[in-house]
């Protein structure tokens, strides 16, 4: 409703981005794209505009349009975890696990309790063949998403995939985190 009462000439770049986001959520994709294109015309050097347009194209499955927008947004604001998250996902879509996994791990360090980041890190690890790492991250994803049963399932799978002492320590850390969440004890920030 906000955007219906505003003329195109009154809109600033961020209005156009907001309108694009709203239209995307309403599944009015051609109109959303038109709004993102208008935002890109006036905000071609704005990291937020680039990121949101890049995310729009990513969600539409158009990685060829998404990647350059996200790359430029990343260059302009390298500390933006959301941009880095989508850049890592693009690398994962290309099956470039050697770059995707470290990129997603960096995002995970920025937002350690984000269930979606942990989920995608787990998927990347699994697709790369690291079964232990995959189940460990999927367990954390479920834990942070408050799905205790799924967290226990992946914890059990990770137990059976442990290959060395470092992984055993990571498993112990997960068990401790799961126990603390169940008991309402200390939680990581």
């Amino acid at each position: 409703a906000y955007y219906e009462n505003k003329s195109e000439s009154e809109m600033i770049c961020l209005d156009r981005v907001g309108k694009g986001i709203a239209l995307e959520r309403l599944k009015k994709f051609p109109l959303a794209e038109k709004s993102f294109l208008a935002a890109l015309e006036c905000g071609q050097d704005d990291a937020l505009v680039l990121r949101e347009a890049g995310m729009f194209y990513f969600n539409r499955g158009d990685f060829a349009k998404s990647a350059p927008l996200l790359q430029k947004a990343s260059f302009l604001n390298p500390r933006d975890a959301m941009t880095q998250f989508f850049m890592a996902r693009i690398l994962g879509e290309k099956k470039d696990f050697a770059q995707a996994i470290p990129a997603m791990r960096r995002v995970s360090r920025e937002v350690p309790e984000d269930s979606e980041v942990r989920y995608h890190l787990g998927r990347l690890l699994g697709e790369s063949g690291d079964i232990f790492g995959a189940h460990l991250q999927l367990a954390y994803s479920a834990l942070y998403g408050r799905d205790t049963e799924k967290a226990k399932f992946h914890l059990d799978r990770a137990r059976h995939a442990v290959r060395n002492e470092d992984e055993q320590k990571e498993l112990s850390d997960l068990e401790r985190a799961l126990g603390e969440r169940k008991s309402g004890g200390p939680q990581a920030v």
Side-chain angles (χ1 to χ4, degrees):
Y2 171 81
Y3 299 110
E4 288 176 5
N5 296 325
K6 207 166 195 168
S7 73
E8 287 294 317
S9 62
E10 292 177 297
M11 288 191 183
I12 62 171
C13 283
L14 292 181
D15 286 327
R16 296 171 199 283
V17 169
K19 184 177 179 181
I21 292 169
L23 290 165
E24 180 183 15
R25 289 186 181 158
L26 293 171
K27 301 192 183 323
K28 296 182 178 181
F29 302 116
L31 292 173
E33 182 175 25
K34 182 179 175 186
S35 191
F36 281 116
L37 289 172
L40 287 168
E41 283 182 28
C42 61
Q44 59 195 1
D45 290 321
D46 184 317
L48 178 63
V49 171
L50 292 161
R51 180 189 78 193
E52 293 300 321
M55 288 169 48
F56 168 76
Y57 285 116
F58 180 93
N59 292 331
R60 303 294 305 140
D62 192 340
F63 305 129
K65 287 183 181 175
S66 177
L69 295 170
L70 290 168
Q71 285 170 339
K72 188 171 180 183
S74 178
F75 176 77
L76 293 170
N77 185 2
R79 295 201 37 91
D80 181 13
M82 184 68 79
T83 300
Q84 301 310 318
F85 172 70
F86 277 92
M87 287 296 301
R89 289 187 63 194
I90 285 175
L91 292 166
E93 291 293 330
K94 294 178 179 179
K95 307 296 184 208
D96 184 354
F97 302 120
Q99 290 189 58
I101 292 169
M104 194 64 80
R105 284 191 191 281
R106 284 190 298 274
V107 175
S108 180
R109 284 191 295 274
E110 291 292 320
V111 285
E113 292 195 17
D114 187 291
S115 64
E116 189 175 5
V117 171
R118 295 293 186 128
Y119 172 79
H120 286 286
L121 178 55
R123 290 208 44 195
L124 289 170
L125 290 166
E127 288 183 50
S128 76
D130 180 355
I131 303 306
F132 170 79
H135 284 294
L136 183 81
Q137 295 303 322
L138 292 171
Y140 275 115
S141 172
L143 175 65
Y144 300 142
R146 295 183 174 89
D147 187 339
T148 306
E149 290 308 308
K150 191 179 280 186
K152 288 179 188 176
F153 170 82
H154 287 293
L155 171 65
D156 187 54
R157 294 294 171 117
R159 266 191 201 113
H160 290 93
V162 171
R163 297 170 294 204
N164 56 50
E165 287 183 29
D166 289 338
E167 289 180 353
Q168 184 59 51
K169 183 187 177 320
E170 289 182 82
L171 184 68
S172 296
D173 291 345
L174 171 61
E175 290 170 332
R176 186 171 28 264
L178 185 57
E180 289 173 355
R181 291 281 171 134
K182 284 173 39 181
S183 69
Q187 297 175 13
V189 176

